[in-house]
Amino acid sequence: MNVAEKPVIAAASLIGQRIQKKDAPEKAAGKTRYIQDMVVPGMLHAKILRSSRVHAKIKSIDTSAAKALPGVHVVLTAADVPDQQPIGVARDHLPLKGERVRSLRDEIAAVAADSDEIAEAALKLIRVEYEDLPVIASPEDAIKPGAPLIHPTPLDAHGRPQSLPPKTPIAFAGKPDNIAMRFDYTHGDIAQAEAESDVVVEDSFQLHYVTHCCMGVSGVIAEFDASGNLLMYSNTQVPFLHKREFAEYLNIDPSRVRIIQPPIGGGFGSKLDIYPFEVICIFLARAAKRPVKMVFTREEEFLASPTRQPVLLTLRSGCRKDGTLTFRQVHTLHDNGAYTSWGATTPFVMMQTFSSLYRVPACDYHTTVVYTNNPYAGSFRGYGNLQATFAIEQHMDMLAEKIGMDPLDFRLKNAQDAGEVTGQGMTFKSCGFKECITTAAERSDYRKKHADNIANRNARGPVKRGIGIASMLHVGGGAKIYPSDGCGTILKLDDFANVTLITGASEIGQGSETVLSQLVCEELGLPISAVTVVNNDTAITPWDVGVHASRTTFIAGNSAIGAARKAKAKILAAAAKKHDCDEAALDLRGGFVVVAETGEPVVELARLMRNLHFSDKAELVMTTFYYEPPSVHQDKAFKGDVSAAYAWAAQVVEVEVDTETGIVKMTKVTGTHDVGRVLNRLGLEGQIEGGVVMGQGYALTENLIVENGVTRNPNFRDYKLVTAPEIPEMDITFVESMDGEGPQGAKGVGEAPAICIAAAAANAIHNATGVRIFGLPFTPEAVYRALRGKSDKPHWPAWKPE
Amino acid sequence: MTAIERYAAPQSLDEALGILQQGEVTILAGGTDLMPQTKAGRIAFKPTLMNIGRVAGLKGVSLDGAYLRIGALTTISELLRDPLVVQHAPVLAEACDQFASDQIRNAGTLGGNINNASPAGDTLVPLIVLDAEVELASKPNGSVTTRRLPLAEFFTGPGRTKRAANELLTAVRVPLPQPGHVARFYKFGTRPALDISTISIGIAGIKRDGALTDIRVAFGAVAPTPVRAPRTEAALEGRPLDAEAIAAGADTARDEVSPIDDVRATAWYRKELIHNMTKRMLDHVAQA
Ligand SMILES: Cc1cc2nc3c(=O)[nH]c(=O)nc-3n(C[C@H](O)[C@H](O)[C@H](O)COP(=O)(O)OP(=O)(O)OC[C@H]3O[C@@H](n4cnc5c(N)ncnc54)[C@H](O)[C@@H]3O)c2cc1C
């Protein structure tokens, strides 16, 4: 007898493996074709003329010479698009400015021409006459009584304020003060909590301008077909929201707008809003009756893409001698810039950190967002949380020092646990916060180093070592900001058992294609290579809110799992029928239908699929699933369980401070993240490393210098991104709290790694030198000045409008 | 859209000087300064663009009697690795090691760095403290003539030098070091790679019995051109390098420079750096 052993297929899991990003080889080989590389037949090239004044009335615009330049097809100003509608959350922003410019980035005219060079030359031929207005260069100035208004109410022919119907957008009706938005939140009794405090600290913190610096700069191609349908190739992170909004601005049916996203060279939140250039490009395409492409130069990207929200923040915190936190009171002044984008709404996230990162019985939070003539702020990875954490985590160290308690013990005493419902109504279902703190502290030897560094402060030699810790809380299960926080999936298996995963979730470099494929393959027992992901065309993919709030793995992941499980059920039912067995006893592994218990193959999946395709009663495997997380909207008082899960982390930063130059060298970052569960370990590590470096840039080097409304360093020479030799050693570990709602137990982590670094660096510099610095960034000169007592501590007497 | 009417790529010095003599020529070497500056509109191309990259004899390092001779087309990467430079002018190699990135070093030339005449040019300060001189060639009336000028006297302002329009910088000559010669370079940038000097410092001299003589001190990025610091040199000349002398040298250095505020640093901070780092360098020289 010659009998081979019966093959069995053991259960194997992809979860927690290191899986290479699907798009990595193509990107590493330089073969990815971004919007910059795209050529659409017949397309024109567009450029925007921006203001040369920070704040001025436009007296006249003369485009005649530009129009006469050979090769120029269209020149547009506000006068040419009388139907333009205001954009942005506050509807205070007309894409083309006709009467007034409010910041240096303001769009005055646009040209579509045969080439970029011709368009550029045409811009130089446009003559604009201005009448300068006083410049509001700081939010403090904007709230002074009698300050010039950024959006004054327009006057009628008799010089009286025009009377306009209620709900007329600010862009037409103006605003009687410079206050763009307000946020007021409170829980608990602040006065009583303060009375019960043994120690109270109050400080102001100043957070600066930084910008995303996506390697792929902003760009769009707009094209109308013969029936007037709009097709856009766009870098947006939120295609479905944009589809609706563009339809609204153009007054056409949303079904006539289609958005295709070419591979996106980084987003980080910068592509989360509609910007004037996109609307202007559509206007140009409409006027030219040709496809029009507009791509920013790097300088333009610095000048005219959004920034992180600069914040002036005054924080009062109290605790008892035993280390129990009593209250926090926060007032912030947000510099909105001239128009309102998502930066104005960062308080949604900031107040969560103040109210709920630690258990605090009373919290009182107020933000006033004011118009100035500065560049305007948008959303940026972390969404206000870097700013809030910078303040709160310095105060944690300061309070601990005041009551003579170890900073770790102080944090642990007040840290949240699973099961907690915070004053803001956030419910912590899974929570590995304390484990994050203890793990990061142990792995970095925090306690010993912290003590040693203090002892060595006065030792000889200019270089002092420091160690600092900071922690964070961020949404990890989406965020219910819109009526829906859902995502749809369509999944199909072909006659070779290859899967097409059609998802609403966009890939912006974060690795979503890979992790979604992984989750599907985990269900279907297939290799990652069996999956093709389609995720970039609103005419094909099901709806999704967009890439924001660290939500994609969680929301789109649950949606993909839902679709895959339905497919699996169909497959097993078909296999059971065909092979006459119990479907409950079957499973999918290694490309086979197997008997779950023994691993014995029943039929090769590809074969089964072919049989299904070619049988006379063809039943193909195509499924859909829509996942909506069980989170709720906040009420008017900003309370409610807005996310289906919450992510936690603690990061320890080690530095060397050269006290003779002020150079702060970040030597090591030890980070522990509660990610729910590790799905793609490689992707996760990459995400964390990138986030840490982004946090490092925010802390130490990046600084968009805006003086009197003028951006002084719109280039990579003087805007300093972290370069390779500066990147610290990293020790990254994960806490797996196995979230009950998360896909395979996972939670979102996209924004988390950037959040703590600046706060931990501040604590580390203090540990090294005994000097606490309340403003960012910690550039050598800023640190040197602080060490010499030559810097002004930020000071803002807490204020809110009555 | 550019004003370039003619592109020339001469193969010999004679030919190159002939083209220069006709006037209205922009010289292109590695292009790492020229291209960004013309693109940004800071300088305009002349009608003739002359690429000197193929001119024979402008590249490489050689010994020329008591001098090290470095051709104008020698790249920063080549300087960094050149055995003669490493042996006879290690401080120049050290400066090249803090210069830009590999890509820029592979294209950028010594002649370009000098003729760009930036106060922050990183080879200038070490070359000045090494008493380097530049060699300028021209062909005014049919035959090639050459003149030499101390590098310390070559610069007249940012982007401006004593080179006449018909002259080409052909080489730099550095005297071979005397016994006991020490030289140090310090560049302050806010990051270890790819940064323009906020300040730079060069110190050289002959160290004997704990004292420095024939001292040269030069600073970059604190004035419209790289500058020698005669008062600082005088404060140190011949004195034993003890704590007192070092403090006096550093104090004088701080007083001697008059930098400006710009996006990279304030004048105050630049003066502090000059003081602190001059002191640190002198400490190192004293201890070495
Ligand atoms: C990203 C980046 C980083 C940089 N970092 C540094 C740095 O760290 N330190 C630093 O010092 N510089 C730096 N530079 C500037 C530049 O790279 C150097 O100055 C380089 O040495 C210039 O050499 P080049 O051959 O490219 O000059 P080019 O750009 O070809 O020429 C520069 C100027 O010199 C003239 N010229 C060139 N050769 C001659 C000659 N033989 N005779 C007469 N005139 C001549 C040209 O006409 C031009 O005006 C950097 C530049 C870039 C783009």
Side-chain angles (χ1 to χ4, degrees), chain A residues 717, chain B residues 20 25-37 43 49-52 58 71-76 95-96 98-101 103-105 107-124 135-136 154 159 161 163-165 167-171 187 193-197:
Chain A
R717 186 189 59 207
Chain B
L20 265 186
V25 179
T26 299
I27 299 170
L28 169 72
T32 61
D33 275 319
L34 191 64
M35 297 319 291
Q37 288 173 14
I43 53 171
L49 180 67
M50 179 169 76
N51 178 357
I52 58 170
L58 290 188
L73 279 182
T74 311
T75 65
I76 305 303
C96 293
Q98 299 176 50
F99 195 109
S101 60
Q103 292 95 322
I104 299 290
R105 291 177 194 172
T109 64
L110 181 64
N113 198 234
I114 294 173
N115 282 290
N116 186 55
S118 159
D122 282 325
T123 65
L124 314 184
E135 189 178 280
L136 298 162
F154 185 58
T161 66
R163 181 181 72 86
E167 285 179 316
L168 189 71
L169 190 144
T170 45
K187 167 178 177 172
L194 264 177
D195 209 357
I196 306 291
S197 292

Side-chain angles (χ1 to χ4, degrees), chain B:
Chain B
M1 303 283 131
T2 95
I4 301 172
E5 290 164 16
R6 179 173 169 233
Y7 173 75
Q11 314 256 347
S12 70
L13 183 62
D14 192 69
E15 199 187 335
L17 296 178
I19 294 165
L20 265 186
Q21 191 61 33
Q22 291 162 26
E24 296 295 291
V25 179
T26 299
I27 299 170
L28 169 72
T32 61
D33 275 319
L34 191 64
M35 297 319 291
Q37 288 173 14
T38 46
K39 228 179 154 192
R42 271 198 300 280
I43 53 171
F45 281 120
K46 303 268 174 54
T48 300
L49 180 67
M50 179 169 76
N51 178 357
I52 58 170
R54 296 179 202 169
V55 174
L58 290 188
K59 220 177 175 49
V61 183
S62 55
L63 285 179
D64 176 8
Y67 291 90
L68 192 65
R69 188 174 189 282
I70 307 173
L73 279 182
T74 311
T75 65
I76 305 303
S77 298
E78 287 162 352
L79 285 176
L80 181 55
R81 286 188 298 263
D82 187 274
L84 290 174
V85 172
V86 172
Q87 189 187 345
H88 299 296
V91 69
L92 182 58
E94 214 177 286
C96 293
D97 200 21
Q98 299 176 50
F99 195 109
S101 60
D102 281 345
Q103 292 95 322
I104 299 290
R105 291 177 194 172
N106 287 341
T109 64
L110 181 64
N113 198 234
I114 294 173
N115 282 290
N116 186 55
S118 159
D122 282 325
T123 65
L124 314 184
V125 161
L127 285 172
I128 287 173
V129 299
L130 293 178
D131 284 338
E133 46 186 34
V134 294
E135 189 178 280
L136 298 162
S138 60
K139 212 169 111 179
N141 28 32
S143 58
V144 175
T145 66
T146 310
R147 63 172 178 139
R148 292 208 185 94
L149 211 61
L151 184 64
E153 292 165 23
F154 185 58
F155 304 104
T156 55
R160 290 197 309 274
T161 66
K162 289 188 179 155
R163 181 181 72 86
N166 67 342
E167 285 179 316
L168 189 71
L169 190 144
T170 45
V172 172
R173 292 202 330 165
V174 180
L176 295 180
Q178 302 294 310
H181 188 260
V182 291
R184 300 285 159 126
F185 175 71
Y186 174 83
K187 167 178 177 172
F188 182 89
T190 59
R191 62 185 178 202
L194 264 177
D195 209 357
I196 306 291
S197 292
T198 307
I199 59 120
S200 64
I201 306 173
I203 297 176
I206 309 290
K207 191 177 169 198
R208 223 174 274 127
D209 307 327
L212 276 184
T213 55
D214 277 325
I215 291 193
R216 302 285 181 273
V217 177
F219 298 121
V222 295
T225 66
V227 287
R228 279 270 297 265
R231 278 164 50 205
T232 307
E233 291 173 358
L236 291 163
E237 182 67 38
R239 281 177 74 176
L241 277 183
D242 53 18
E244 203 184 321
I246 289 174
D251 286 346
T252 312
R254 169 162 51 197
D255 294 343
E256 192 167 15
V257 295
S258 42
I260 54 161
D261 293 339
D262 64 19
V263 287
R264 283 173 215 133
T266 62
W268 175 80
Y269 179 57
R270 284 194 161 97
K271 282 165 97 67
E272 290 291 293
L273 286 174
I274 290 286
H275 173 271
N276 295 351
M277 296 303 105
T278 300
K279 176 173 179 304
R280 188 178 284 184
M281 289 167 78
L282 290 170
D283 280 338
H284 288 173
V285 171
Q287 282 152 26

Side-chain angles (χ1 to χ4, degrees), chain A residues 421-485:
Chain A
V421 180
T422 77
Q424 209 183 340
M426 299 156 82
T427 307
F428 299 135
K429 286 135 277 191
S430 63
C431 177
F433 185 20
K434 288 181 176 165
E435 203 182 331
C436 287
I437 296 179
T438 49
T439 308
E442 273 165 26
R443 292 184 70 94
S444 61
D445 204 6
Y446 173 89
R447 279 183 212 268
K448 179 173 186 310
K449 286 182 185 165
H450 192 263
D452 288 353
N453 292 336
I454 292 175
N456 289 333
R457 268 184 203 155
N458 296 322
R460 270 179 57 100
V463 178
K464 313 287 177 200
R465 282 171 203 277
I467 190 166
I469 190 167
S471 310
M472 74 100 222
L473 152 70
H474 205 73
V475 293
K480 198 152 283 179
I481 300 156
Y482 300 100
S484 154
D485 189 25

Side-chain angles (χ1 to χ4, degrees), chain A residues 164-486:
Chain A
L164 292 157
K167 295 214 165 164
T168 302
I170 293 171
F172 302 126
K175 189 93 179 43
D177 53 29
N178 284 329
I179 294 171
M181 278 197 188
R182 285 185 58 177
F183 293 82
D184 300 289
Y185 164 85
T186 193
H187 79 244
D189 183 337
I190 284 285
Q192 192 196 330
E194 176 153 5
E196 287 168 6
S197 307
D198 295 315
V199 169
V200 172
V201 287
E202 176 176 328
D203 295 284
S204 297
F205 299 83
Q206 178 107 47
L207 290 312
H208 63 311
Y209 281 102
V210 294
T211 187
H212 309 70
C213 299
C214 300
M215 289 296 113
V217 291
S218 306
V220 67
I221 300 174
E223 168 175 18
F224 286 89
D225 71 10
S227 330
N229 298 315
L230 171 64
L231 169 62
M232 291 173 73
Y233 297 95
S234 162
N235 278 340
T236 180
Q237 295 177 234
V238 285
F240 288 93
L241 298 180
H242 272 199
K243 180 178 150 106
R244 211 187 90 194
E245 288 183 59
F246 281 122
E248 203 178 305
Y249 302 141
L250 299 168
N251 201 17
I252 60 175
D253 190 290
S255 67
R256 294 174 62 183
V257 179
R258 176 177 178 188
I259 296 178
I260 295 179
Q261 298 151 287
I264 297 170
F268 311 110
S270 69
K271 296 167 171 105
L272 208 67
D273 203 354
I274 286 200
Y275 300 111
F277 83 91
E278 295 164 306
V279 183
I280 291 170
C281 193
I282 296 172
F283 290 154
L284 289 169
R286 191 173 66 179
K289 299 188 168 56
R290 296 260 294 262
V292 175
K293 174 172 176 174
M294 188 182 297
V295 172
F296 278 10
T297 61
R298 177 57 65 186
E299 186 180 19
E300 211 171 9
E301 183 81 2
F302 272 110
L303 295 173
S305 59
T307 69
R308 193 183 283 288
Q309 179 65 58
V311 175
L312 188 55
L313 183 156
T314 297
L315 173 62
R316 248 170 110 67
S317 309
C319 71
R320 280 198 259 260
K321 273 194 221 114
D322 68 356
T324 326
L325 282 173
T326 46
F327 79 100
R328 294 196 196 283
Q329 187 167 42
V330 192
H331 289 81
T332 90
L333 193 58
H334 276 42
D335 186 342
N336 202 39
Y339 305 100
T340 310
S341 180
W342 296 123
T345 68
T346 48
F348 280 120
V349 174
M350 296 177 74
M351 65 175 77
Q352 292 176 358
T353 289
F354 287 110
S355 75
S356 306
L357 169 58
Y358 296 99
R359 284 192 312 271
V360 52
C363 176
D364 186 36
Y365 177 98
H366 305 280
T367 284
T368 312
V369 185
V370 297
Y371 288 116
T372 66
N373 294 117
N374 289 327
Y376 68 85
S379 77
F380 194 166
R381 189 185 203 174
Y383 216 92
N385 211 350
L386 286 75
Q387 296 92 320
T389 302
F390 182 70
I392 210 170
E393 284 291 316
Q394 292 209 59
H395 262 194
M396 290 304 281
D397 266 24
M398 291 165 76
L399 286 172
E401 195 174 333
K402 283 229 168 189
I403 58 169
M405 196 165 172
D406 177 88
L408 281 184
D409 294 337
F410 183 54
R411 283 179 173 80
L412 288 168
K413 186 169 173 73
N414 294 287
Q416 302 284 7
D417 276 313
E420 207 96 28
V421 180
T422 77
Q424 209 183 340
M426 299 156 82
T427 307
F428 299 135
K429 286 135 277 191
S430 63
C431 177
F433 185 20
K434 288 181 176 165
E435 203 182 331
C436 287
I437 296 179
T438 49
T439 308
E442 273 165 26
R443 292 184 70 94
S444 61
D445 204 6
Y446 173 89
R447 279 183 212 268
K448 179 173 186 310
K449 286 182 185 165
H450 192 263
D452 288 353
N453 292 336
I454 292 175
N456 289 333
R457 268 184 203 155
N458 296 322
R460 270 179 57 100
V463 178
K464 313 287 177 200
R465 282 171 203 277
I467 190 166
I469 190 167
S471 310
M472 74 100 222
L473 152 70
H474 205 73
V475 293
K480 198 152 283 179
I481 300 156
Y482 300 100
S484 154
D485 189 25

